[in-house]
Amino acid sequence: MKQTTKKKVVASGVALSTIGVTSYVLKDQSRKDKLVETLKAVRNKVQNMFRDRDQEVLEKAGHPHPHDIEDNKMVSEGAAFAVNYYDEKEK
């Protein structure tokens, strides 16, 4: 059997198994409710994780620490880029 055929057979088997298990789980209303609640909890957890990270980035951007060498280096390189760009445009 060719390698691509084996991959297709395995992928089909996994897909059919997933469909079968999902159908079985969703057949019972209490299981369906439990699955929906679990998915909502996971979604909220992921959203909060990204929201917290975005908030940290915004706070750091507004209040850089003077002893954060890497951040200060990045800011100085950014400032130098803008000055160099302006100088090149003027020439």
Side-chain angles (χ1 to χ4, degrees):
M1 196 181 277
K2 290 184 180 179
Q3 186 69 15
T4 56
T5 306
K6 285 183 182 180
K7 288 181 182 179
K8 288 180 182 179
V9 169
V10 170
S12 297
V14 169
L16 289 174
S17 298
T18 303
I19 291 169
V21 169
T22 304
S23 298
Y24 177 74
V25 168
L26 296 179
K27 191 166 89 172
D28 186 26
Q29 186 63 34
S30 64
R31 288 183 189 152
K32 187 186 298 186
D33 293 340
K34 186 176 179 181
L35 178 66
V36 168
E37 290 301 317
T38 302
L39 290 175
K40 284 181 183 179
V42 168
R43 184 187 70 197
N44 288 336
K45 191 172 188 178
V46 169
Q47 286 176 340
N48 289 337
M49 181 180 65
F50 284 113
R51 190 175 300 125
D52 292 344
R53 187 190 69 185
D54 291 345
Q55 186 64 29
E56 289 174 12
V57 169
L58 287 176
E59 287 175 7
K60 184 175 180 180
H63 307 287
H65 194 275
H67 299 293
D68 187 355
I69 304 298
E70 290 299 317
D71 193 35
N72 291 330
K73 182 179 175 185
M74 179 182 64
V75 170
S76 68
E77 288 173 354
F81 176 79
V83 171
N84 292 338
Y85 181 79
Y86 180 76
D87 288 342
E88 289 296 320
K89 281 289 198 183
E90 290 297 312
K91 287 181 181 180

